[in-house]
Amino acid sequence: MSKQRYGAGIWHFATYVDRYATDGYGEPRSIIDAIEIAGRVKDLSVVDLNWPFFGGDFSNDQVKAALDKAGLSVIGITPEIYTRTFRKGAFTNPDPGVRAEAHDLVTRACDVVRFFGADYVKLWPGQDGWDYPFQVDHQAVWCHSIEGIGALAAENPDLKFVIEYKPREPRVHMSYSGVARTLLGIEKMGQPNVGILLDFGHALFGGESAADSAQLAIDHGRLFGMDVNDNLRAWDDDMVAGTVHPIELFEFFYTLRKNEWEGVWQLDQFPFREDSIQAADLAIDFLKRCEAGLDRLDWAAMAKAQAAHDALTAQRLAQEALYG
Amino acid sequence: MSKQRYGAGIWHFATYVDRYATDGYGEPRSIIDAIEIAGRVKDLSVVDLNWPFFGGDFSNDQVKAALDKAGLSVIGITPEIYTRTFRKGAFTNPDPGVRAEAHDLVTRACDVVRFFGADYVKLWPGQDGWDYPFQVDHQAVWCHSIEGIGALAAENPDLKFVIEYKPREPRVHMSYSGVARTLLGIEKMGQPNVGILLDFGHALFGGESAADSAQLAIDHGRLFGMDVNDNLRAWDDDMVAGTVHPIELFEFFYTLRKNEWEGVWQLDQFPFREDSIQAADLAIDFLKRCEAGLDRLDWAAMAKAQAAHDALTAQRLAQEALYG
Amino acid sequence: MSKQRYGAGIWHFATYVDRYATDGYGEPRSIIDAIEIAGRVKDLSVVDLNWPFFGGDFSNDQVKAALDKAGLSVIGITPEIYTRTFRKGAFTNPDPGVRAEAHDLVTRACDVVRFFGADYVKLWPGQDGWDYPFQVDHQAVWCHSIEGIGALAAENPDLKFVIEYKPREPRVHMSYSGVARTLLGIEKMGQPNVGILLDFGHALFGGESAADSAQLAIDHGRLFGMDVNDNLRAWDDDMVAGTVHPIELFEFFYTLRKNEWEGVWQLDQFPFREDSIQAADLAIDFLKRCEAGLDRLDWAAMAKAQAAHDALTAQRLAQEALYG
Amino acid sequence: MSKQRYGAGIWHFATYVDRYATDGYGEPRSIIDAIEIAGRVKDLSVVDLNWPFFGGDFSNDQVKAALDKAGLSVIGITPEIYTRTFRKGAFTNPDPGVRAEAHDLVTRACDVVRFFGADYVKLWPGQDGWDYPFQVDHQAVWCHSIEGIGALAAENPDLKFVIEYKPREPRVHMSYSGVARTLLGIEKMGQPNVGILLDFGHALFGGESAADSAQLAIDHGRLFGMDVNDNLRAWDDDMVAGTVHPIELFEFFYTLRKNEWEGVWQLDQFPFREDSIQAADLAIDFLKRCEAGLDRLDWAAMAKAQAAHDALTAQRLAQEALYG
């Protein structure tokens, strides 16, 4: 029996606004509501929580109680370093006062991680970057990107920090744009407790092969977390995993197992117009198909095909394993 | 002296939310606030108004008074057929009751057009389309797209309706995705009072050449309006016009003048993090540079170069004219 | 037992050059060589032939003999209107003499179609378009695009002509860029014998949903042919069908069957570095999986899900049917 | 008076083939022909030479004589590690024998660099990468990428090696795909004599900001060369520099001057259908406009705007400086 654990960002079970549907895609939900809904997904074990908690003024204890009731534990805390205060950047904000606020917010988030015994602080610096040609001094922006996270890692050596890179949105260019750029930055920080949270969709969106990105992060000892979803390769659509690119998602999981990477398989989906429980169930059912496919796969034959760069044999093996 | 009139969507002077900065990129503004700010832009003559009016319960008379004070008149009314009610589509919603609501909303918007003596009802069916493979019956969706707008045009023969196409966002696929698709749909409607509002950025985003799209719409007698902005060709970034693609923007205006198309040059920009007055001024200054460039251009030499498909001569002429 | 017939462009079995590997990706092959190789693919019935025949001065009879020996018949003839003579365009060339040459070449290709009893003349006007802003008069280019093909169709009413659209390559912008643009042009021609050959990969590359494109062409009575392959949505990679986007390919075939479209399922693949027989076999095996999936699919449940725009149910049904 | 030197890849003055126009876009030219043509460009000082020399069996002395006559010197030698022999990779070829051939070819190219007193060996590993999901062992491919170039650098410490990265083409995925990935690889090699040749168009194509990429490479001490062209951000179109993205090209040169980077400004253009001399002249004229713009720019005001991330002021300054 599989011991694979599945997780999800708690925002999977929230409702959303965007720049057009400013009244939201559904009734607002609090984090307590979202946890209750998450609890109804089959096979979900862990969640990543935005912090400060949304939809009300909830204590850690209240959230803990809701999680216990739902049978969920916490894998990570995501401090909201991308809201109005940080609209011109958190770590790279031109205003040192705002950079200090970002530092302070994440520092407080560290205590939330400790409270819940979570695995990491997740940093998604979506407002850190630039929009226009000539807008910024690129050296300064990149230095701030590195220093801001490096300082937090140094001050909290008991915790792990994960950076979730993405090419863009809401910024037109994000500083932590891709796997290699993020690894370059992490190496510069020189801290052992900073790694990557690799989002499959962000890799696709950035023109990467997610399997290659995972291998690179693993080879640098920096793959600390992952999540999956799907998109049309041109935007972070956060669609249900497996609905568009099943083969590449299977290759991503193949790479994880090949390297004996044994973390949680998480979902980062935004079901704007769909039922969030069904969206999670559909994705997890596909993830289980991937697991079964990896059990079925002829690993020796695959290794041999890959050693010869034999695309057709490798594809045939992959299809046979995945489709069963 | 130039008699060119400039306009802007009133949302240019609002503040925004997105799925991350849910607390907004600035303090909320009402449409009255936005009109007051718009009035401070140099050389702005007309605005396009979202309707129902945002930020409060304002009467047409109150809005008219604000416009008069700001020295602005109304070019179009944009009924909000993309908010929560219409999240699964306005004209293509699977629920006939919601389709009727969309019809009713636009019908009431027609009276607002009449009140303000505006040029058109602007339809931007951003939620009409689909997200996932297999989600919809494509024939049915396209039929609904055509019937919904066709019926409105037939019922309001005294008004013009413009469709602003876009490849995607917020839907992963929008039904009115490009210039040719929209013209196909309009021809099927068979109404004289339906045309295209061509957004320069949407054309770029869709892989079109905006100059070619404008020519095609003009040749079908359907270019009823236009607006401009800029982006990185992969998303509807709604950046300030001229900041990334000045040459293609210049070619777009060249095509309009060549065809003696004499409507308003409008802005559709979303200055999330910028001052909205400065953003409009910078764009309009570039538009004036384009005007002056068209005055300077050697039109006969350009026609000769184009007849020979001589890209290098044509480019040299365009650069010389634009840069002065 | 399935009666589905499979086909391929004969270039699938050629070797290739590109701008870097100018000495080619393999030893040159003649069309006779290619036919012999095509004959070794399991389940291939028909081929589309480039004309003039490549690799030697072969008569129609010699090619016919090779085809007979290989057990293949001809579905279409593709006149080479994209070689050096036509590098600045075939139908849209600025030189009327070259436009006449294109007309003459296609006219002679019509006789080859008649000789082989093929279904159509296939026109892929890859050099018709433009590269640079300001290079062309867009009205003139589009008129030439329509007139050139319209005249051929009028002069050869006994034959069918299919236009294979593509967004770009080798031109930066092709005139027949997408499904809707091509339908607009065909409607303007006003000839009953001009239709679309829909290439699945070109639709993906153009940001279309191939299922939607097929439905649109069918609803206009213009889907005369199709072929498949795969790519990364950003270029015409002509990879093996099913290797990247199996779900959308399955939706494409679903749409064909739903409309009782019963033509040949063809391959348009360029196996630059792969064995061409294995590449065809892998693709056809996936196409057979699609056929079996369509047999398994719960069509009534799918129709119901689509009527409700219920993406998750529709996807689950599709996955279950395809994966078996 | 400007002392800026201008250069070009000698292939700018060749003719081309692609997979469609297999008979080429013009009469074949030898490298001697191309050098003669290059000599007629105004203001060209240096060229980068493909090696082995194309179009005939020419000695170094013969090529030297042609260069002298044309008034040109050599900046780099580009060994052709992307032709048929290397179609499955040069440094990453699955066959160790082919990897040895690549090593041997580059080693011999080193002597050509020494003969001409050129600045560097340019490595553009266009066939090193992969096409299909599951095709390769990503760890092995990346290791080979690093080892192959690292060994050459170690064996030839008197020479500089530059890697020209690109996202793709002819491979669907190139190993040296972007600036950060390439820097990661170079750091792993640990050799002082390996750097980046930054192609402006490859950066654009990869979703990078070329100014940011240049700054990053400079900050790592690895910007050894550069070249420019233009494209539509989705492919390596190698169009004439300045014809599509003048502002970002200006920002790229701004970054070079700001860092006192004083190398040659080179062209990497493929004028498939254009006159190659005119194409070079048009580009160099635009480069001179950029130079003049940098002289005119208010550097202090720009630095102040960038420190505040003030996009609008920065853009206004840039436009005023560039347009004059």
Side-chain angles (χ1 to χ4, degrees):
Chain A
M1 201 191 90
S2 163
K3 293 171 303 183
Q4 182 59 51
R5 295 167 76 215
Y6 300 100
I10 197 63
W11 53 90
H12 187 296
F13 308 99
T15 55
Y16 314 103
V17 298
D18 62 24
R19 62 173 172 153
Y20 301 114
T22 54
D23 57 345
Y25 283 79
E27 287 299 310
R29 293 178 189 152
S30 72
I31 197 166
I32 302 293
D33 298 333
I35 289 168
E36 189 276 325
I37 296 170
R40 287 187 268 150
V41 175
K42 286 182 305 188
D43 303 302
L44 200 69
S45 302
V46 303
V47 286
D48 178 333
L49 302 180
N50 312 70
W51 185 85
F53 302 127
F54 56 83
D57 191 20
F58 306 109
S59 69
N60 286 348
D61 286 320
Q62 284 172 295
V63 170
K64 181 76 171 58
L67 289 164
D68 287 347
K69 192 167 167 197
L72 296 167
S73 61
V74 179
I75 186 168
I77 295 294
T78 299
E80 297 213 317
I81 54 174
Y82 39 75
T83 49
R84 190 192 300 182
T85 302
F86 305 109
R87 69 190 181 279
K88 291 190 173 183
F91 304 119
T92 65
N93 199 289
D95 179 344
V98 179
R99 294 202 297 273
E101 278 191 71
H103 184 89
D104 181 58
L105 184 77
V106 179
T107 299
R108 287 183 291 130
C110 288
D111 282 337
V112 184
V113 169
R114 291 180 186 107
F115 175 88
F116 285 103
D119 287 12
Y120 48 69
V121 183
K122 194 183 80 191
L123 300 174
W124 178 70
Q127 302 284 9
D128 287 276
W130 66 95
D131 298 304
Y132 284 87
F134 281 100
Q135 182 172 4
V136 298
D137 175 328
H138 292 289
Q139 186 181 59
V141 165
W142 186 230
C143 284
H144 283 148
S145 294
I146 292 170
E147 289 170 6
I149 296 178
L152 286 159
E155 290 167 20
N156 298 279
D158 59 318
L159 297 183
K160 285 197 284 190
F161 292 81
V162 297
I163 302 173
E164 185 175 359
Y165 68 83
K166 187 164 94 159
R168 48 168 308 188
E169 193 218 9
R171 278 289 184 174
V172 167
H173 285 282
M174 265 182 69
S175 290
Y176 287 102
S177 54
V179 67
R181 182 70 178 244
T182 305
L183 288 171
L184 265 188
I186 290 172
E187 295 305 317
K188 192 71 87 181
M189 291 173 207
Q191 304 289 340
N193 56 332
V194 184
I196 282 178
L197 184 140
L198 203 168
D199 180 287
F200 174 80
H202 297 178
L204 268 191
F205 173 19
E208 300 174 5
S209 155
D212 174 61
S213 303
Q215 187 65 57
L216 189 73
I218 287 168
D219 289 342
H220 282 257
R222 300 289 185 176
L223 189 68
F224 287 12
M226 56 76 91
D227 55 36
V228 296
N229 46 58
D230 216 329
N231 62 48
L232 298 197
R233 293 176 184 274
W235 192 251
D236 185 29
D237 300 314
D238 285 326
M239 295 162 77
V240 173
T243 56
V244 185
H245 296 104
I247 307 275
E248 281 152 296
L249 188 53
F250 187 46
E251 190 194 15
F252 178 66
F253 288 123
Y254 162 81
T255 303
L256 296 183
R257 187 181 286 190
K258 181 175 165 183
N259 288 278
E260 299 177 11
W261 190 94
E262 294 183 337
V264 173
W265 291 9
Q266 287 190 83
L267 307 181
D268 180 4
Q269 304 180 153
F270 277 66
F272 283 89
R273 301 172 188 82
E274 282 74 39
D275 178 84
S276 32
I277 297 175
Q278 286 179 36
D281 283 342
L282 181 63
I284 292 175
D285 283 351
F286 185 75
L287 268 46
K288 289 181 171 180
R289 174 178 290 278
C290 288
E291 269 201 275
L294 294 177
D295 292 342
R296 267 191 300 264
L297 181 70
D298 184 338
W299 286 73
M302 180 60 85
K304 191 178 161 201
Q306 292 188 341
H309 297 201
D310 177 353
L312 302 180
T313 300
Q315 264 282 332
R316 192 176 282 280
L317 291 165
Q319 289 184 26
E320 284 170 358
L322 179 61
Y323 301 153
Chain B
M1 201 190 93
S2 163
K3 293 171 303 182
Q4 181 59 52
R5 294 167 78 215
Y6 300 98
I10 197 62
W11 53 89
H12 186 297
F13 307 99
T15 55
Y16 314 103
V17 298
D18 63 23
R19 61 174 173 152
Y20 301 113
T22 53
D23 57 346
Y25 282 79
E27 287 299 309
R29 293 179 189 152
S30 71
I31 197 166
I32 302 294
D33 298 333
I35 289 169
E36 188 276 325
I37 295 171
R40 287 187 269 151
V41 175
K42 286 182 304 189
D43 303 302
L44 201 68
S45 302
V46 303
V47 287
D48 178 334
L49 302 179
N50 312 72
W51 185 83
F53 302 128
F54 55 85
D57 192 19
F58 305 110
S59 69
N60 285 349
D61 287 319
Q62 283 173 296
V63 169
K64 181 77 170 58
L67 288 164
D68 288 347
K69 193 170 166 195
L72 296 168
S73 60
V74 179
I75 185 168
I77 295 294
T78 300
E80 297 215 317
I81 54 174
Y82 39 74
T83 48
R84 191 193 299 182
T85 302
F86 305 109
R87 69 190 181 278
K88 290 190 173 182
F91 304 118
T92 65
N93 199 291
D95 179 344
V98 179
R99 294 202 297 273
E101 277 191 73
H103 183 90
D104 181 59
L105 184 76
V106 179
T107 299
R108 287 183 290 131
C110 289
D111 281 337
V112 184
V113 170
R114 292 180 185 105
F115 175 88
F116 285 102
D119 287 12
Y120 47 70
V121 183
K122 194 183 81 192
L123 300 174
W124 178 71
Q127 302 284 9
D128 286 276
W130 67 94
D131 299 303
Y132 285 87
F134 281 100
Q135 182 172 4
V136 298
D137 175 328
H138 291 289
Q139 186 181 58
V141 165
W142 186 229
C143 285
H144 283 148
S145 295
I146 291 169
E147 290 170 5
I149 296 179
L152 286 159
E155 291 167 20
N156 299 278
D158 59 319
L159 297 184
K160 285 197 284 189
F161 292 81
V162 297
I163 302 174
E164 184 175 359
Y165 68 82
K166 187 164 94 159
R168 48 168 308 188
E169 193 217 10
R171 279 287 185 176
V172 168
H173 286 282
M174 265 182 68
S175 290
Y176 287 103
S177 53
V179 68
R181 182 71 178 242
T182 305
L183 288 171
L184 265 188
I186 289 172
E187 295 305 317
K188 191 72 86 181
M189 291 174 207
Q191 304 290 339
N193 56 332
V194 185
I196 281 179
L197 184 140
L198 203 167
D199 179 287
F200 174 80
H202 297 179
L204 268 191
F205 173 20
E208 300 174 5
S209 155
D212 174 62
S213 303
Q215 187 64 58
L216 189 73
I218 287 169
D219 289 341
H220 282 256
R222 301 287 185 177
L223 189 68
F224 287 11
M226 55 76 91
D227 56 36
V228 296
N229 47 57
D230 216 331
N231 62 47
L232 298 196
R233 293 175 184 276
W235 191 249
D236 184 28
D237 299 315
D238 285 326
M239 295 163 77
V240 173
T243 57
V244 186
H245 296 104
I247 308 275
E248 281 151 296
L249 187 53
F250 186 47
E251 191 194 13
F252 178 65
F253 289 123
Y254 163 82
T255 303
L256 296 183
R257 186 180 288 190
K258 182 175 167 184
N259 287 278
E260 298 177 13
W261 190 94
E262 294 182 339
V264 174
W265 290 9
Q266 287 190 82
L267 307 181
D268 180 4
Q269 304 180 152
F270 277 65
F272 283 90
R273 300 171 188 84
E274 283 72 41
D275 178 85
S276 31
I277 297 174
Q278 286 180 35
D281 283 342
L282 181 62
I284 292 175
D285 284 349
F286 185 75
L287 267 47
K288 290 182 170 180
R289 176 178 288 278
C290 289
E291 270 200 274
L294 294 177
D295 292 342
R296 267 192 300 264
L297 182 70
D298 184 338
W299 286 74
M302 181 61 85
K304 191 179 160 200
Q306 291 187 342
H309 296 200
D310 178 352
L312 302 180
T313 300
Q315 263 283 330
R316 191 177 282 278
L317 291 165
Q319 290 183 26
E320 284 170 359
L322 179 62
Y323 301 154
Chain C
M1 201 191 92
S2 163
K3 294 170 301 182
Q4 181 59 52
R5 295 167 77 215
Y6 300 99
I10 197 63
W11 52 90
H12 186 296
F13 308 99
T15 56
Y16 315 103
V17 298
D18 62 25
R19 61 173 172 153
Y20 301 114
T22 53
D23 57 346
Y25 284 79
E27 287 299 309
R29 293 179 189 152
S30 71
I31 197 167
I32 303 293
D33 298 333
I35 289 168
E36 189 276 324
I37 296 170
R40 287 187 268 151
V41 175
K42 286 182 304 187
D43 304 301
L44 201 67
S45 302
V46 303
V47 287
D48 178 334
L49 301 179
N50 311 71
W51 185 84
F53 303 128
F54 56 84
D57 191 20
F58 305 110
S59 68
N60 286 348
D61 287 319
Q62 283 173 294
V63 169
K64 181 76 170 59
L67 289 164
D68 288 347
K69 192 169 166 195
L72 296 167
S73 60
V74 179
I75 184 167
I77 295 294
T78 299
E80 298 213 317
I81 54 174
Y82 40 74
T83 49
R84 191 193 299 181
T85 302
F86 305 110
R87 69 190 181 280
K88 291 190 173 181
F91 304 118
T92 66
N93 200 289
D95 179 344
V98 179
R99 294 202 297 272
E101 277 191 73
H103 184 89
D104 181 58
L105 184 76
V106 179
T107 299
R108 287 183 290 131
C110 289
D111 281 337
V112 185
V113 169
R114 292 180 186 105
F115 176 88
F116 286 102
D119 288 11
Y120 48 69
V121 182
K122 194 182 81 191
L123 300 174
W124 178 70
Q127 303 283 9
D128 287 276
W130 66 95
D131 299 304
Y132 285 87
F134 282 99
Q135 182 172 4
V136 299
D137 175 328
H138 292 289
Q139 186 181 58
V141 165
W142 187 230
C143 284
H144 284 148
S145 295
I146 292 169
E147 289 169 6
I149 295 178
L152 287 159
E155 291 167 20
N156 298 278
D158 58 319
L159 296 184
K160 284 195 286 189
F161 291 81
V162 298
I163 302 173
E164 184 175 358
Y165 67 83
K166 187 164 94 159
R168 48 168 307 189
E169 193 218 10
R171 279 289 184 174
V172 168
H173 286 281
M174 266 182 68
S175 290
Y176 288 102
S177 54
V179 68
R181 182 70 177 243
T182 305
L183 288 171
L184 265 188
I186 290 173
E187 296 304 319
K188 190 73 85 180
M189 291 175 207
Q191 303 290 340
N193 56 333
V194 184
I196 282 178
L197 184 141
L198 203 167
D199 180 287
F200 175 79
H202 296 179
L204 267 190
F205 173 19
E208 300 174 5
S209 155
D212 173 62
S213 304
Q215 186 65 57
L216 188 73
I218 287 169
D219 289 342
H220 282 256
R222 300 288 186 178
L223 189 68
F224 287 11
M226 56 76 91
D227 55 35
V228 297
N229 47 57
D230 215 332
N231 62 47
L232 298 197
R233 293 175 184 275
W235 192 249
D236 185 28
D237 300 314
D238 284 327
M239 295 162 77
V240 173
T243 57
V244 185
H245 296 104
I247 307 275
E248 280 152 296
L249 188 53
F250 187 46
E251 190 194 15
F252 178 66
F253 288 123
Y254 163 81
T255 303
L256 296 183
R257 187 180 287 190
K258 181 175 166 185
N259 288 278
E260 298 176 12
W261 190 94
E262 294 183 339
V264 174
W265 291 9
Q266 287 190 82
L267 306 181
D268 180 4
Q269 304 180 153
F270 276 67
F272 284 90
R273 301 171 188 84
E274 283 73 41
D275 179 84
S276 30
I277 298 174
Q278 287 179 35
D281 283 342
L282 181 63
I284 292 175
D285 284 350
F286 185 75
L287 268 47
K288 290 182 170 180
R289 173 178 290 278
C290 289
E291 269 201 274
L294 293 177
D295 293 342
R296 266 192 300 265
L297 181 71
D298 183 338
W299 286 73
M302 180 61 85
K304 190 178 161 200
Q306 291 188 341
H309 297 201
D310 178 354
L312 301 180
T313 299
Q315 263 283 332
R316 191 176 282 280
L317 291 165
Q319 289 185 26
E320 284 171 358
L322 179 61
Y323 301 153
Chain D
M1 200 192 91
S2 163
K3 293 170 303 183
Q4 181 60 51
R5 295 168 76 216
Y6 300 99
I10 197 63
W11 53 90
H12 186 296
F13 308 98
T15 55
Y16 315 103
V17 298
D18 63 24
R19 61 173 172 153
Y20 301 113
T22 54
D23 57 347
Y25 283 80
E27 286 300 309
R29 293 178 189 153
S30 72
I31 197 165
I32 302 293
D33 299 333
I35 289 169
E36 188 276 325
I37 296 171
R40 287 188 269 151
V41 174
K42 286 182 305 189
D43 303 302
L44 200 68
S45 302
V46 303
V47 287
D48 178 335
L49 302 179
N50 311 71
W51 186 84
F53 303 127
F54 56 84
D57 190 20
F58 305 110
S59 69
N60 286 348
D61 287 320
Q62 285 173 293
V63 169
K64 182 75 171 58
L67 289 164
D68 288 347
K69 193 170 165 195
L72 296 168
S73 62
V74 179
I75 186 167
I77 296 294
T78 299
E80 297 213 318
I81 54 175
Y82 40 75
T83 48
R84 189 193 301 182
T85 303
F86 305 110
R87 69 190 181 279
K88 291 191 172 181
F91 304 118
T92 65
N93 199 289
D95 179 344
V98 179
R99 294 201 297 272
E101 278 192 72
H103 183 90
D104 181 57
L105 184 77
V106 179
T107 298
R108 286 183 291 130
C110 289
D111 282 338
V112 185
V113 169
R114 291 180 186 105
F115 175 88
F116 286 102
D119 288 11
Y120 48 69
V121 183
K122 194 183 80 192
L123 300 174
W124 178 70
Q127 302 284 9
D128 287 276
W130 66 96
D131 297 304
Y132 285 87
F134 281 101
Q135 182 172 3
V136 298
D137 175 327
H138 292 288
Q139 186 181 58
V141 165
W142 187 230
C143 284
H144 284 148
S145 295
I146 292 169
E147 289 169 7
I149 295 179
L152 286 159
E155 291 167 20
N156 299 280
D158 58 319
L159 297 183
K160 285 197 282 190
F161 292 81
V162 298
I163 303 173
E164 185 175 358
Y165 67 83
K166 186 164 94 159
R168 49 169 308 189
E169 193 218 8
R171 279 289 185 174
V172 168
H173 286 280
M174 266 183 68
S175 290
Y176 287 102
S177 53
V179 68
R181 182 69 178 243
T182 305
L183 288 171
L184 264 189
I186 289 173
E187 296 304 318
K188 191 71 88 183
M189 290 173 207
Q191 303 290 340
N193 56 332
V194 185
I196 281 178
L197 185 142
L198 202 167
D199 179 288
F200 174 80
H202 296 178
L204 268 190
F205 173 19
E208 300 174 4
S209 155
D212 174 62
S213 303
Q215 187 64 58
L216 188 73
I218 287 170
D219 289 341
H220 282 257
R222 300 288 185 177
L223 188 69
F224 287 12
M226 56 77 91
D227 56 35
V228 297
N229 47 56
D230 216 330
N231 62 47
L232 298 197
R233 294 176 183 274
W235 191 251
D236 185 28
D237 300 314
D238 285 326
M239 295 162 78
V240 174
T243 56
V244 186
H245 296 104
I247 307 275
E248 281 152 296
L249 188 53
F250 187 46
E251 190 194 15
F252 178 65
F253 288 123
Y254 163 81
T255 303
L256 296 183
R257 187 181 286 190
K258 181 174 166 185
N259 288 277
E260 299 177 12
W261 190 93
E262 294 182 338
V264 173
W265 291 9
Q266 288 190 83
L267 307 180
D268 180 4
Q269 304 180 154
F270 276 65
F272 283 89
R273 300 171 188 83
E274 283 74 39
D275 179 83
S276 31
I277 297 174
Q278 287 179 36
D281 283 342
L282 181 62
I284 292 175
D285 284 350
F286 185 75
L287 269 47
K288 289 181 171 180
R289 175 178 289 280
C290 288
E291 269 201 273
L294 294 178
D295 292 342
R296 267 191 300 264
L297 181 70
D298 184 339
W299 286 74
M302 180 61 85
K304 190 178 161 200
Q306 291 188 340
H309 297 200
D310 178 352
L312 302 180
T313 300
Q315 264 282 331
R316 191 177 282 279
L317 291 165
Q319 289 183 27
E320 285 171 359
L322 180 61
Y323 302 152

